[in-house]
Amino acid sequence: MLITSVSVSAQKKTVYSQSFEVNKSTATLLNLENTTVAIEASTDGKVHFDYTIEFSQYSKKEMESFLNDIKIEAVQFENTVTLNASSFQNISKVAYQLDAPFGLTLEDTDFKFGKANDTIQRKSKDSLLQEIRGGEFKNLPFKNLKMLSENGEKKDIDFKRVKMYKSRFVIKLPAFVNVKIIGNQAQISFLDDVTNEISLNLKKGTLEGKYLSNNYNNFKVNDASFEFEGISGGNFSFDNVINGKIGSLQNVSINSEFSKIEIGEIQDKVSITDYNGEYWLYNWAKDFKRFDLFSEYTKLYFFYPETYDFSLSVIGNNTVNHFENMSITMQPTKSDEKFNMMERKAKGQGHFSGAINLDMVRGILYTANETFIKSK
């Protein structure tokens, strides 16, 4: 079902708007495909779906064609609210379309996308949170782009020739409803701290938000970007997560493969099982108590806990340990049994923060206080 309205402003269209009365027994199912949504907390105890798109430089016919590609319907049956939202083309938050036959270039020649660096420094939790919330170059500034003429000269963009749309699909959920999300090529943002019990399965797209807190959360994320300020409670499965950033972890179990994940701070009750991934463990809470990693073919960048006392045990085989930038290769035994590769006992002085247990097979372990020098 497609619902449209007359323009609210010059070219702003209401795609869908619907609300539902719910209670503590209500479940909410969100089926999302090629769709961008922002999930917020509902303040009136109802479930709300509000979807608008603002167009610039689109003709009436082009807008109608765009809106006709969107299919959206929400129904309530036996205390379950189900939303089905899809689009023929992938709809992002903001999109620009410009006819530039000779290409585009950057006006600011000092702008850099980043380059390979052989050193990796410890990031503070706050600096990683800043990256998650949106750093200086998280999105390329559109104003820095210039058009190229036929002879290669830079020209200012004529914004009368730029088509643009802004999509805003807001889903408001009360904290007491259970939520199930099935996403395919979807961009999902949690704009508030969330305490709902959530079951999520996302294939391709992006998933980002503030703080997730529920012991019964169950997330499966495949071929997608994942960024959260903090997570407390739940089980998380990552497969080929390409841009994993988590500000802090507490009471969480992670199973991952082929993923790259940075963690700003490890708190208590955290366990990670990984295959062929990369992890950056930057900081540790005062009382992380116990941390367990079980891995195979994993590359681990491990920064020691600061200030407080801790113990460290590394078992496994066939693992290269870059210890304080010195390389030591731990070869397998004939029977391929695991053995103690590295141990640091607690000093018994000051506050004891916890025990770190690493079980690594055929991996690479970097350990240092502040800076790693990557192996060649």
Side-chain angles (χ1 to χ4, degrees):
M1 178 172 63
L2 175 66
I3 299 177
T4 61
S5 71
V6 296
S7 297
V8 176
S9 59
Q11 290 180 312
K12 187 174 183 179
K13 300 291 185 179
T14 298
V15 181
Y16 191 85
S17 182
Q18 185 75 319
S19 299
F20 294 91
E21 299 277 354
V22 294
N23 55 49
K24 293 183 178 180
S25 300
T26 302
T28 303
L29 172 60
L30 310 177
N31 292 306
L32 310 171
E33 184 171 2
N34 282 337
T35 303
T36 297
V37 300
I39 298 176
E40 299 180 355
S42 174
T43 58
D44 61 4
K46 298 180 182 179
V47 170
H48 299 275
F49 303 113
D50 293 295
Y51 192 179
T52 61
I53 299 179
E54 184 176 350
F55 296 93
S56 178
Q57 309 304 328
Y58 276 71
S59 68
K60 181 179 179 180
K61 183 177 180 180
E62 288 172 330
M63 286 188 289
E64 289 178 352
S65 176
F66 190 104
L67 294 171
N68 285 334
D69 284 340
I70 300 172
K71 307 300 178 185
I72 180 168
E73 181 181 27
V75 296
Q76 186 169 16
F77 179 72
E78 292 185 349
N79 217 13
T80 297
V81 176
T82 301
L83 170 76
N84 295 307
S86 64
S87 173
F88 178 76
Q89 62 177 319
N90 187 268
I91 298 179
S92 56
K93 294 178 184 178
V94 181
Y96 301 91
Q97 183 179 341
L98 171 64
D99 182 16
F102 303 106
L104 298 169
T105 188
L106 284 171
E107 171 67 13
D108 184 2
T109 56
D110 293 330
F111 184 90
K112 295 180 176 61
F113 289 95
K115 60 181 180 180
N117 197 326
D118 290 335
T119 62
I120 299 174
Q121 294 184 332
R122 183 198 297 266
K123 293 182 183 180
S124 68
K125 178 182 173 182
D126 287 342
S127 67
L128 190 62
L129 286 174
Q130 185 178 0
E131 292 181 25
I132 293 169
R133 292 165 183 163
E136 183 179 1
F137 300 119
K138 187 166 185 179
N139 295 303
L140 178 65
F142 190 71
K143 64 182 180 180
N144 283 20
L145 292 174
K146 297 288 183 180
M147 293 181 62
L148 290 175
S149 65
E150 186 175 3
N151 59 9
E153 294 180 353
K154 296 179 182 179
K155 300 191 302 181
D156 289 335
I157 291 176
D158 181 3
F159 285 91
K160 292 181 180 180
R161 298 175 57 190
V162 178
K163 293 180 181 179
M164 181 200 72
Y165 71 79
K166 294 181 180 179
S167 169
R168 181 163 174 78
F169 189 174
V170 178
I171 299 174
K172 296 183 179 180
L173 301 172
F176 54 77
V177 299
N178 289 352
V179 184
K180 183 176 183 179
I181 302 174
I182 301 174
N184 182 24
Q185 201 65 266
Q187 291 75 47
I188 304 169
S189 300
F190 291 89
L191 302 185
D192 299 313
D193 294 344
V194 180
T195 59
N196 301 70
E197 180 182 335
I198 301 174
S199 173
L200 178 143
N201 192 329
L202 175 65
K203 294 181 179 180
K204 298 184 179 180
T206 63
L207 184 62
E208 60 185 13
K210 290 192 173 182
Y211 196 83
L212 293 173
S213 178
N214 193 295
N215 290 337
Y216 299 101
N217 281 344
N218 195 332
F219 280 53
K220 294 182 179 180
V221 183
N222 299 338
D223 298 310
S225 174
F226 184 92
E227 295 187 356
F228 273 88
E229 294 182 19
I231 301 174
S232 178
N235 295 292
F236 292 78
S237 174
F238 299 132
D239 185 355
N240 196 31
V241 167
I242 55 175
N243 186 39
K245 290 185 174 69
I246 305 170
S248 63
L249 280 178
Q250 180 181 37
N251 192 25
V252 169
S253 176
I254 292 177
N255 281 274
S256 59
E257 56 184 23
F258 306 105
S259 297
K260 298 181 178 181
I261 299 173
E262 298 179 63
I263 301 172
E265 183 181 75
I266 298 290
Q267 299 176 0
D268 62 304
K269 300 178 182 177
V270 176
S271 174
I272 297 174
T273 302
D274 179 70
Y275 178 81
N276 205 10
E278 288 188 63
Y279 273 85
W280 290 259
L281 308 182
Y282 291 122
N283 302 282
W284 303 79
K286 179 180 178 181
D287 290 299
F288 66 85
K289 296 180 181 177
R290 180 187 176 100
F291 170 78
D292 294 298
L293 171 76
F294 307 93
S295 68
E296 187 173 4
Y297 295 106
T298 297
K299 186 180 292 185
L300 176 64
Y301 301 95
F302 170 81
F303 291 91
Y304 296 124
E306 295 182 298
T307 308
Y308 304 110
D309 197 13
F310 67 98
S311 66
L312 170 65
S313 172
V314 185
I315 66 171
N317 61 49
N318 203 15
T319 292
V320 179
N321 180 15
H322 295 274
F323 173 71
E324 295 290 354
N325 298 321
M326 293 184 296
S327 179
I328 303 173
T329 302
M330 309 295 186
Q331 296 293 344
T333 61
K334 292 182 178 180
S335 59
D336 208 29
E337 293 180 354
K338 297 176 183 178
F339 60 96
N340 291 327
M341 297 190 296
M342 179 179 174
E343 185 176 16
R344 179 197 187 275
K345 294 183 178 180
K347 296 180 180 179
Q349 300 175 355
H351 180 80
F352 179 72
S353 291
I356 299 170
N357 302 296
L358 308 180
D359 186 327
M360 302 186 68
V361 176
R362 290 177 284 275
I364 300 177
L365 171 63
Y366 293 86
T367 54
N369 282 323
E370 295 298 329
T371 305
F372 296 118
I373 299 176
K374 294 178 70 174
S375 59
K376 300 296 183 181

